[in-house]
Structures are given as C-alpha cells and as structure tokens.
Short mmCIF file of all heavy atoms in Angstrom, two decimals:
data_model
loop_
_atom_site.label_atom_id
_atom_site.label_comp_id
_atom_site.label_asym_id
_atom_site.label_seq_id
_atom_site.Cartn_x
_atom_site.Cartn_y
_atom_site.Cartn_z
N MET B 1 36.45 18.42 -3.24
CA MET B 1 36.62 17.97 -4.59
C MET B 1 36.00 18.94 -5.58
O MET B 1 36.53 19.11 -6.66
CB MET B 1 36.00 16.58 -4.79
CG MET B 1 36.82 15.46 -4.19
SD MET B 1 36.15 13.82 -4.49
CE MET B 1 36.34 13.64 -6.22
N LEU B 2 34.90 19.54 -5.20
CA LEU B 2 34.25 20.46 -6.13
C LEU B 2 35.13 21.67 -6.43
O LEU B 2 35.09 22.20 -7.54
CB LEU B 2 32.90 20.92 -5.58
CG LEU B 2 31.80 19.87 -5.61
CD1 LEU B 2 30.56 20.38 -4.90
CD2 LEU B 2 31.47 19.46 -7.03
N ASP B 3 35.92 22.11 -5.46
CA ASP B 3 36.81 23.23 -5.70
C ASP B 3 37.92 22.87 -6.68
O ASP B 3 38.43 23.73 -7.37
CB ASP B 3 37.43 23.70 -4.39
CG ASP B 3 36.44 24.40 -3.49
OD1 ASP B 3 35.38 24.83 -3.98
OD2 ASP B 3 36.71 24.51 -2.28
N GLU B 4 38.28 21.62 -6.74
CA GLU B 4 39.39 21.16 -7.57
C GLU B 4 38.97 20.62 -8.93
O GLU B 4 39.75 20.62 -9.86
CB GLU B 4 40.16 20.07 -6.83
CG GLU B 4 40.75 20.52 -5.52
CD GLU B 4 41.84 21.57 -5.68
OE1 GLU B 4 42.58 21.51 -6.68
OE2 GLU B 4 41.93 22.44 -4.82
N GLU B 5 37.79 20.07 -9.05
CA GLU B 5 37.36 19.44 -10.30
C GLU B 5 37.08 20.46 -11.38
O GLU B 5 36.78 21.60 -11.07
CB GLU B 5 36.09 18.60 -10.05
CG GLU B 5 36.36 17.33 -9.30
CD GLU B 5 37.12 16.30 -10.11
OE1 GLU B 5 37.17 16.39 -11.36
OE2 GLU B 5 37.68 15.40 -9.50
N PRO B 6 37.09 20.13 -12.64
CA PRO B 6 37.37 18.81 -13.17
C PRO B 6 38.85 18.51 -13.33
O PRO B 6 39.23 17.38 -13.49
CB PRO B 6 36.67 18.80 -14.52
CG PRO B 6 36.69 20.23 -14.96
CD PRO B 6 36.61 21.05 -13.66
N GLU B 7 39.75 19.50 -13.26
CA GLU B 7 41.16 19.24 -13.48
C GLU B 7 41.87 18.68 -12.25
O GLU B 7 42.82 17.93 -12.36
CB GLU B 7 41.89 20.53 -13.90
CG GLU B 7 41.42 21.15 -15.18
CD GLU B 7 40.26 22.10 -14.97
OE1 GLU B 7 40.08 22.60 -13.85
OE2 GLU B 7 39.52 22.31 -15.93
N GLY B 8 41.42 19.06 -11.08
CA GLY B 8 42.15 18.76 -9.87
C GLY B 8 41.82 17.44 -9.22
O GLY B 8 41.20 16.58 -9.82
N PHE B 9 42.24 17.32 -7.99
CA PHE B 9 42.08 16.11 -7.17
C PHE B 9 42.63 14.92 -7.93
O PHE B 9 41.92 13.98 -8.27
CB PHE B 9 40.64 15.88 -6.75
CG PHE B 9 40.54 15.56 -5.28
CD1 PHE B 9 40.45 16.56 -4.35
CD2 PHE B 9 40.57 14.25 -4.86
CE1 PHE B 9 40.38 16.27 -3.01
CE2 PHE B 9 40.51 13.94 -3.52
CZ PHE B 9 40.41 14.95 -2.59
N LYS B 10 43.92 14.98 -8.21
CA LYS B 10 44.60 13.99 -9.05
C LYS B 10 44.26 12.57 -8.65
O LYS B 10 44.33 12.21 -7.50
CB LYS B 10 46.11 14.21 -9.00
CG LYS B 10 46.52 15.51 -9.61
CD LYS B 10 47.97 15.50 -9.95
CE LYS B 10 48.30 16.87 -10.48
NZ LYS B 10 48.86 16.87 -11.74
N GLY B 11 43.89 11.79 -9.64
CA GLY B 11 43.58 10.40 -9.42
C GLY B 11 42.20 10.16 -8.86
O GLY B 11 41.85 9.03 -8.55
N GLY B 12 41.40 11.20 -8.72
CA GLY B 12 40.06 11.04 -8.17
C GLY B 12 40.10 10.72 -6.67
O GLY B 12 41.14 10.76 -6.04
N MET B 13 38.96 10.40 -6.12
CA MET B 13 38.85 10.05 -4.71
C MET B 13 39.03 8.54 -4.58
O MET B 13 38.46 7.78 -5.36
CB MET B 13 37.48 10.46 -4.16
CG MET B 13 37.25 10.09 -2.72
SD MET B 13 38.44 10.81 -1.57
CE MET B 13 37.89 12.51 -1.55
N THR B 14 39.83 8.15 -3.64
CA THR B 14 40.02 6.73 -3.33
C THR B 14 39.63 6.51 -1.88
O THR B 14 39.51 7.47 -1.11
CB THR B 14 41.48 6.30 -3.53
OG1 THR B 14 42.29 7.03 -2.60
CG2 THR B 14 41.96 6.55 -4.95
N ALA B 15 39.45 5.26 -1.51
CA ALA B 15 39.14 4.96 -0.11
C ALA B 15 40.26 5.47 0.79
O ALA B 15 40.02 6.01 1.86
CB ALA B 15 38.93 3.46 0.07
N LYS B 16 41.49 5.32 0.35
CA LYS B 16 42.65 5.77 1.14
C LYS B 16 42.61 7.29 1.37
O LYS B 16 42.83 7.76 2.49
CB LYS B 16 43.94 5.37 0.44
CG LYS B 16 45.18 5.61 1.24
CD LYS B 16 46.39 5.03 0.53
CE LYS B 16 47.64 5.23 1.37
NZ LYS B 16 48.81 4.62 0.73
N LYS B 17 42.31 8.06 0.33
CA LYS B 17 42.20 9.51 0.48
C LYS B 17 41.02 9.88 1.38
O LYS B 17 41.12 10.77 2.21
CB LYS B 17 42.02 10.18 -0.89
CG LYS B 17 43.27 10.17 -1.74
CD LYS B 17 42.98 10.83 -3.07
CE LYS B 17 44.15 10.72 -4.01
NZ LYS B 17 43.86 11.33 -5.33
N TYR B 18 39.90 9.19 1.21
CA TYR B 18 38.71 9.44 2.01
C TYR B 18 39.01 9.19 3.49
O TYR B 18 38.63 9.99 4.35
CB TYR B 18 37.58 8.53 1.53
CG TYR B 18 36.23 8.83 2.13
CD1 TYR B 18 35.37 9.73 1.54
CD2 TYR B 18 35.81 8.20 3.29
CE1 TYR B 18 34.12 10.00 2.08
CE2 TYR B 18 34.57 8.45 3.84
CZ TYR B 18 33.73 9.35 3.24
OH TYR B 18 32.51 9.62 3.78
N ILE B 19 39.71 8.10 3.79
CA ILE B 19 40.08 7.78 5.17
C ILE B 19 40.97 8.88 5.74
O ILE B 19 40.78 9.32 6.88
CB ILE B 19 40.78 6.41 5.22
CG1 ILE B 19 39.78 5.30 4.90
CG2 ILE B 19 41.44 6.17 6.57
CD1 ILE B 19 40.42 3.96 4.60
N ALA B 20 41.94 9.34 4.96
CA ALA B 20 42.84 10.39 5.42
C ALA B 20 42.09 11.70 5.72
O ALA B 20 42.41 12.40 6.69
CB ALA B 20 43.93 10.64 4.39
N LEU B 21 41.10 12.01 4.89
CA LEU B 21 40.34 13.25 5.08
C LEU B 21 39.32 13.18 6.21
O LEU B 21 39.11 14.16 6.91
CB LEU B 21 39.60 13.61 3.78
CG LEU B 21 40.46 14.06 2.61
CD1 LEU B 21 39.63 14.11 1.34
CD2 LEU B 21 41.10 15.40 2.90
N THR B 22 38.69 12.03 6.37
CA THR B 22 37.56 11.93 7.30
C THR B 22 37.86 11.14 8.57
O THR B 22 37.06 11.17 9.50
CB THR B 22 36.36 11.25 6.63
OG1 THR B 22 36.71 9.90 6.30
CG2 THR B 22 35.93 12.01 5.38
N LYS B 23 38.97 10.40 8.59
CA LYS B 23 39.32 9.54 9.73
C LYS B 23 38.31 8.40 9.89
O LYS B 23 38.16 7.83 10.96
CB LYS B 23 39.45 10.32 11.04
CG LYS B 23 40.36 11.53 10.97
CD LYS B 23 41.78 11.13 10.67
CE LYS B 23 42.68 12.35 10.75
NZ LYS B 23 43.59 12.49 9.68
N ALA B 24 37.61 8.06 8.83
CA ALA B 24 36.64 6.96 8.85
C ALA B 24 37.39 5.63 8.72
O ALA B 24 38.54 5.60 8.29
CB ALA B 24 35.67 7.11 7.68
N SER B 25 36.72 4.55 9.08
CA SER B 25 37.30 3.22 8.89
C SER B 25 37.27 2.88 7.40
O SER B 25 36.55 3.50 6.62
CB SER B 25 36.51 2.18 9.67
OG SER B 25 35.23 2.00 9.09
N LYS B 26 38.05 1.87 7.01
CA LYS B 26 38.06 1.46 5.60
C LYS B 26 36.68 0.99 5.17
O LYS B 26 36.23 1.33 4.08
CB LYS B 26 39.08 0.34 5.39
CG LYS B 26 39.10 -0.13 3.95
CD LYS B 26 40.40 -0.78 3.58
CE LYS B 26 40.46 -1.29 2.17
NZ LYS B 26 39.92 -0.49 1.13
N ALA B 27 35.98 0.25 6.03
CA ALA B 27 34.65 -0.23 5.69
C ALA B 27 33.69 0.94 5.46
O ALA B 27 32.92 0.95 4.51
CB ALA B 27 34.11 -1.15 6.78
N THR B 28 33.74 1.94 6.33
CA THR B 28 32.86 3.11 6.19
C THR B 28 33.22 3.90 4.94
O THR B 28 32.33 4.34 4.20
CB THR B 28 32.95 4.00 7.44
OG1 THR B 28 32.49 3.25 8.56
CG2 THR B 28 32.12 5.26 7.29
N ALA B 29 34.51 4.08 4.69
CA ALA B 29 34.94 4.82 3.50
C ALA B 29 34.43 4.14 2.24
O ALA B 29 33.86 4.79 1.35
CB ALA B 29 36.46 4.92 3.48
N THR B 30 34.60 2.83 2.15
CA THR B 30 34.16 2.09 0.98
C THR B 30 32.65 2.17 0.83
O THR B 30 32.13 2.42 -0.27
CB THR B 30 34.61 0.62 1.08
OG1 THR B 30 36.03 0.59 1.19
CG2 THR B 30 34.17 -0.19 -0.12
N ARG B 31 31.93 1.99 1.92
CA ARG B 31 30.47 2.06 1.89
C ARG B 31 29.99 3.44 1.46
O ARG B 31 29.09 3.57 0.62
CB ARG B 31 29.92 1.69 3.28
CG ARG B 31 28.46 1.48 3.35
CD ARG B 31 28.01 0.91 4.68
NE ARG B 31 28.67 1.46 5.85
CZ ARG B 31 29.52 0.78 6.64
NH1 ARG B 31 29.80 -0.49 6.39
NH2 ARG B 31 30.07 1.36 7.68
N ASP B 32 30.59 4.49 2.00
CA ASP B 32 30.19 5.86 1.65
C ASP B 32 30.45 6.15 0.17
O ASP B 32 29.60 6.73 -0.52
CB ASP B 32 30.94 6.88 2.51
CG ASP B 32 30.47 6.93 3.94
OD1 ASP B 32 29.47 6.26 4.28
OD2 ASP B 32 31.12 7.63 4.74
N LEU B 33 31.62 5.75 -0.32
CA LEU B 33 31.95 6.01 -1.72
C LEU B 33 31.04 5.21 -2.66
O LEU B 33 30.59 5.74 -3.68
CB LEU B 33 33.42 5.69 -1.97
CG LEU B 33 34.40 6.66 -1.30
CD1 LEU B 33 35.82 6.12 -1.37
CD2 LEU B 33 34.32 8.05 -1.90
N GLN B 34 30.75 3.97 -2.30
CA GLN B 34 29.84 3.17 -3.11
C GLN B 34 28.43 3.76 -3.11
O GLN B 34 27.74 3.74 -4.13
CB GLN B 34 29.81 1.73 -2.62
CG GLN B 34 31.07 0.97 -2.93
CD GLN B 34 31.11 -0.41 -2.32
OE1 GLN B 34 30.33 -0.73 -1.42
NE2 GLN B 34 32.03 -1.23 -2.79
N ASP B 35 28.02 4.31 -1.98
CA ASP B 35 26.70 4.94 -1.88
C ASP B 35 26.63 6.17 -2.80
O ASP B 35 25.64 6.37 -3.49
CB ASP B 35 26.41 5.32 -0.43
CG ASP B 35 25.05 5.98 -0.26
OD1 ASP B 35 24.04 5.37 -0.67
OD2 ASP B 35 25.00 7.11 0.28
N LEU B 36 27.68 6.97 -2.81
CA LEU B 36 27.70 8.15 -3.67
C LEU B 36 27.69 7.74 -5.15
O LEU B 36 27.07 8.41 -5.98
CB LEU B 36 28.92 9.01 -3.36
CG LEU B 36 28.85 9.72 -2.01
CD1 LEU B 36 30.21 10.30 -1.64
CD2 LEU B 36 27.79 10.80 -2.02
N ALA B 37 28.35 6.64 -5.47
CA ALA B 37 28.32 6.13 -6.85
C ALA B 37 26.94 5.61 -7.21
O ALA B 37 26.45 5.83 -8.32
CB ALA B 37 29.39 5.05 -7.03
N ALA B 38 26.29 4.93 -6.26
CA ALA B 38 24.94 4.41 -6.51
C ALA B 38 23.94 5.54 -6.73
O ALA B 38 22.99 5.39 -7.51
CB ALA B 38 24.50 3.54 -5.34
N LYS B 39 24.17 6.66 -6.08
CA LYS B 39 23.30 7.83 -6.25
C LYS B 39 23.69 8.65 -7.48
O LYS B 39 23.13 9.72 -7.72
CB LYS B 39 23.37 8.71 -5.00
CG LYS B 39 22.75 8.04 -3.79
CD LYS B 39 22.91 8.89 -2.56
CE LYS B 39 22.25 8.19 -1.36
NZ LYS B 39 22.53 8.87 -0.11
N LYS B 40 24.68 8.15 -8.23
CA LYS B 40 25.17 8.77 -9.46
C LYS B 40 25.80 10.14 -9.23
O LYS B 40 25.86 10.97 -10.14
CB LYS B 40 24.08 8.84 -10.52
CG LYS B 40 23.58 7.46 -10.89
CD LYS B 40 22.66 7.48 -12.05
CE LYS B 40 22.19 6.05 -12.26
NZ LYS B 40 21.95 5.71 -13.59
N LEU B 41 26.29 10.38 -8.02
CA LEU B 41 27.02 11.60 -7.74
C LEU B 41 28.50 11.43 -8.10
O LEU B 41 29.17 12.39 -8.47
CB LEU B 41 26.88 11.99 -6.27
CG LEU B 41 25.44 12.27 -5.83
CD1 LEU B 41 25.36 12.47 -4.34
CD2 LEU B 41 24.89 13.49 -6.55
N PHE B 42 28.99 10.20 -7.94
CA PHE B 42 30.36 9.85 -8.29
C PHE B 42 30.33 8.81 -9.40
O PHE B 42 29.40 8.01 -9.48
CB PHE B 42 31.10 9.24 -7.10
CG PHE B 42 31.70 10.22 -6.13
CD1 PHE B 42 31.52 11.58 -6.24
CD2 PHE B 42 32.46 9.76 -5.07
CE1 PHE B 42 32.08 12.46 -5.34
CE2 PHE B 42 33.01 10.62 -4.16
CZ PHE B 42 32.84 11.97 -4.30
N LEU B 43 31.35 8.81 -10.24
CA LEU B 43 31.56 7.76 -11.22
C LEU B 43 32.63 6.84 -10.67
O LEU B 43 33.68 7.29 -10.23
CB LEU B 43 32.04 8.36 -12.55
CG LEU B 43 31.09 9.31 -13.26
CD1 LEU B 43 31.78 9.92 -14.46
CD2 LEU B 43 29.83 8.57 -13.68
N CYS B 44 32.37 5.56 -10.69
CA CYS B 44 33.30 4.55 -10.21
C CYS B 44 34.20 4.14 -11.37
O CYS B 44 33.71 3.75 -12.43
CB CYS B 44 32.55 3.35 -9.65
SG CYS B 44 33.61 2.06 -9.03
N ILE B 45 35.50 4.23 -11.17
CA ILE B 45 36.46 3.89 -12.21
C ILE B 45 37.40 2.82 -11.66
O ILE B 45 37.99 3.00 -10.59
CB ILE B 45 37.24 5.13 -12.66
CG1 ILE B 45 36.26 6.17 -13.20
CG2 ILE B 45 38.31 4.77 -13.69
CD1 ILE B 45 36.82 7.53 -13.39
N GLY B 46 37.53 1.73 -12.37
CA GLY B 46 38.41 0.65 -11.95
C GLY B 46 37.71 -0.31 -11.01
O GLY B 46 36.53 -0.17 -10.71
N GLU B 47 38.48 -1.30 -10.55
CA GLU B 47 37.95 -2.33 -9.67
C GLU B 47 38.99 -2.68 -8.61
O GLU B 47 40.17 -2.43 -8.78
CB GLU B 47 37.62 -3.59 -10.47
CG GLU B 47 36.50 -3.42 -11.46
CD GLU B 47 36.21 -4.70 -12.22
OE1 GLU B 47 36.74 -5.76 -11.84
OE2 GLU B 47 35.46 -4.64 -13.19
N GLY B 48 38.50 -3.28 -7.55
CA GLY B 48 39.39 -3.77 -6.49
C GLY B 48 40.20 -2.66 -5.86
O GLY B 48 39.68 -1.57 -5.59
N ARG B 49 41.47 -2.93 -5.66
CA ARG B 49 42.35 -1.96 -4.99
C ARG B 49 42.59 -0.71 -5.82
O ARG B 49 43.02 0.31 -5.29
CB ARG B 49 43.67 -2.62 -4.64
CG ARG B 49 43.50 -3.75 -3.64
CD ARG B 49 44.80 -4.33 -3.25
NE ARG B 49 45.42 -3.41 -2.28
CZ ARG B 49 46.64 -3.52 -1.86
NH1 ARG B 49 47.42 -4.49 -2.29
NH2 ARG B 49 47.12 -2.66 -0.98
N SER B 50 42.34 -0.77 -7.11
CA SER B 50 42.57 0.39 -7.97
C SER B 50 41.31 1.21 -8.20
O SER B 50 41.30 2.09 -9.06
CB SER B 50 43.16 -0.06 -9.31
OG SER B 50 42.23 -0.86 -10.00
N THR B 51 40.25 0.95 -7.45
CA THR B 51 39.00 1.70 -7.61
C THR B 51 39.20 3.15 -7.19
O THR B 51 39.79 3.45 -6.16
CB THR B 51 37.88 1.08 -6.76
OG1 THR B 51 37.70 -0.27 -7.15
CG2 THR B 51 36.57 1.83 -6.94
N ARG B 52 38.70 4.04 -8.02
CA ARG B 52 38.71 5.46 -7.68
C ARG B 52 37.39 6.05 -8.12
O ARG B 52 36.66 5.45 -8.91
CB ARG B 52 39.89 6.18 -8.32
CG ARG B 52 39.91 6.16 -9.82
CD ARG B 52 41.21 6.76 -10.36
NE ARG B 52 41.31 6.57 -11.79
CZ ARG B 52 40.84 7.40 -12.69
NH1 ARG B 52 40.24 8.51 -12.33
NH2 ARG B 52 40.96 7.16 -13.97
N TYR B 53 37.08 7.21 -7.61
CA TYR B 53 35.80 7.84 -7.87
C TYR B 53 36.04 9.28 -8.32
O TYR B 53 36.90 9.97 -7.79
CB TYR B 53 34.94 7.85 -6.61
CG TYR B 53 34.63 6.46 -6.12
CD1 TYR B 53 35.51 5.79 -5.27
CD2 TYR B 53 33.47 5.81 -6.49
CE1 TYR B 53 35.23 4.51 -4.83
CE2 TYR B 53 33.18 4.53 -6.05
CZ TYR B 53 34.07 3.89 -5.22
OH TYR B 53 33.80 2.61 -4.78
N GLU B 54 35.27 9.69 -9.30
CA GLU B 54 35.31 11.07 -9.79
C GLU B 54 33.90 11.64 -9.73
O GLU B 54 32.92 10.90 -9.83
CB GLU B 54 35.86 11.12 -11.21
CG GLU B 54 37.32 10.70 -11.27
CD GLU B 54 37.89 10.77 -12.68
OE1 GLU B 54 37.14 11.05 -13.63
OE2 GLU B 54 39.09 10.52 -12.80
N ILE B 55 33.81 12.94 -9.61
CA ILE B 55 32.51 13.59 -9.57
C ILE B 55 31.83 13.42 -10.92
O ILE B 55 32.45 13.59 -11.97
CB ILE B 55 32.65 15.09 -9.23
CG1 ILE B 55 33.19 15.23 -7.80
CG2 ILE B 55 31.30 15.80 -9.35
CD1 ILE B 55 33.52 16.66 -7.42
N ASN B 56 30.56 13.08 -10.89
CA ASN B 56 29.77 12.89 -12.10
C ASN B 56 29.15 14.24 -12.47
O ASN B 56 28.15 14.65 -11.91
CB ASN B 56 28.69 11.84 -11.88
CG ASN B 56 27.88 11.57 -13.13
OD1 ASN B 56 28.16 12.13 -14.19
ND2 ASN B 56 26.90 10.71 -13.00
N PHE B 57 29.77 14.92 -13.43
CA PHE B 57 29.25 16.21 -13.90
C PHE B 57 28.20 16.03 -14.99
O PHE B 57 27.62 17.01 -15.45
CB PHE B 57 30.39 17.08 -14.42
CG PHE B 57 31.30 17.60 -13.34
CD1 PHE B 57 32.56 17.04 -13.14
CD2 PHE B 57 30.89 18.62 -12.51
CE1 PHE B 57 33.39 17.52 -12.15
CE2 PHE B 57 31.72 19.11 -11.52
CZ PHE B 57 32.97 18.55 -11.33
N GLN B 58 27.97 14.79 -15.45
CA GLN B 58 27.06 14.53 -16.56
C GLN B 58 25.59 14.53 -16.15
O GLN B 58 24.75 15.00 -16.88
CB GLN B 58 27.40 13.19 -17.22
CG GLN B 58 28.84 13.07 -17.66
CD GLN B 58 29.28 14.14 -18.64
OE1 GLN B 58 28.47 14.66 -19.40
NE2 GLN B 58 30.55 14.48 -18.63
N ASP B 59 25.26 13.90 -15.02
CA ASP B 59 23.85 13.76 -14.62
C ASP B 59 23.42 14.86 -13.70
O ASP B 59 24.04 15.38 -12.89
CB ASP B 59 23.63 12.41 -13.93
CG ASP B 59 23.74 11.26 -14.93
OD1 ASP B 59 23.55 11.49 -16.13
OD2 ASP B 59 24.00 10.13 -14.47
#
C-alpha cells in the first residue's frame, strides 16, 4: 500500500483484499485491520460490509 498511496490502492484496504493478499481467515483479516486502525496506522472509513482502511499519513 505504501508504494501506491496516496493516489493508489483504489478503495483502500478491505477485509476482502487483505484475505486475497495474505490468505488469512476473515476473522484474522478483520482483527488485523482493526488493530492497525487502533494503532492509528490506518484510518477506518465506513461501517459494516462497506468498511475500508486507508493509510494514516497525518499522525
């Protein structure tokens, strides 16, 4: 994602994209993405099935 941001990685990172890249389970993908958001590395955008994550370049 860092190679593509801020313009690239259309639609940000989603659990579905994370699963495709890492072969992780949906539960693990969701937990990992939420952890990165809690650490303020990712910004969480949207809710539920439309949740996506973008790199937080602000903090």
Side-chain angles (χ1 to χ4, degrees):
M1 284 183 67
L2 288 173
D3 289 341
E4 299 294 326
E5 287 290 342
E7 298 87 22
F9 227 87
K10 294 199 183 237
M13 178 60 73
T14 63
K16 188 174 182 177
K17 288 179 186 178
Y18 189 89
I19 291 166
L21 290 169
T22 65
K23 308 297 186 226
S25 69
K26 179 157 179 43
T28 298
T30 301
R31 190 171 40 248
D32 288 354
L33 291 168
Q34 288 174 344
D35 180 56
L36 290 168
K39 293 176 179 172
K40 300 188 183 213
L41 299 172
F42 277 4
L43 297 173
C44 180
I45 300 167
E47 294 180 11
R49 296 184 77 189
S50 64
T51 301
R52 62 187 172 89
Y53 298 86
E54 294 181 355
I55 295 173
N56 182 4
F57 289 104
Q58 305 302 331
D59 290 337

